[in-house]
Amino acid sequence: LASLVVMQTFPAGRKLFRQGEPADRVYLMLTGSVGVFREPCTPADLIYEVGHHSPTPWTGELGVWSHRPRSGTAIVSQPSTLATLKAEDLGTLLSLAPALARAFQRSMKE
């Protein structure tokens, strides 16, 4: 599993992805938090906030799972450490970790 993920640390204010971009990876929150916004990304445009204590501590999965462009822009809210997973490796990871696959599929239904 470790060969599929890349650990990265991001400062507050860093954009992880922009609305409309191709969905090329999933981000798993290990520390910190990320806000997902509709453009133009004002506080009123916040869709949801995800943190490492969230019931589903990842973001970016919707576009990867549905093979569609990003539906929002993700901006790091506070310094964060994330495990990133390339879209093409998602199926491999989920086949190796059935419990994670079930949690991921449950989150997609919400």
Side-chain angles (χ1 to χ4, degrees):
L1 294 177
S3 65
L4 298 177
V5 297
V6 175
M7 306 298 286
Q8 294 182 275
T9 301
F10 297 97
R14 169 77 184 271
K15 287 186 181 172
L16 298 178
F17 52 82
R18 296 186 82 105
Q19 185 175 334
E21 288 181 342
D24 63 344
R25 64 187 62 246
V26 174
Y27 299 85
L28 174 64
M29 304 296 305
L30 300 175
T31 66
S33 63
V34 171
V36 179
F37 299 81
R38 295 267 187 237
E39 293 290 339
C41 300
T42 68
D45 299 314
L46 180 68
I47 303 168
Y48 65 91
E49 182 98 11
V50 62
H52 66 283
H53 291 299
S54 299
T56 53
W58 47 72
T59 191
E61 78 284 359
L62 182 60
V64 169
W65 195 258
S66 66
H67 304 287
R68 292 186 175 190
R70 301 286 188 191
S71 60
T73 296
I75 302 173
V76 177
S77 306
Q78 55 183 278
S80 300
T81 300
L82 295 90
T84 64
L85 175 69
K86 292 180 184 176
E88 59 266 20
D89 294 332
L90 180 60
T92 302
L93 178 67
L94 296 180
S95 69
L96 293 172
L100 179 61
R102 288 188 297 276
F104 189 78
Q105 289 171 339
R106 275 194 309 274
S107 76
M108 295 303 297
K109 293 177 184 176
E110 296 174 355

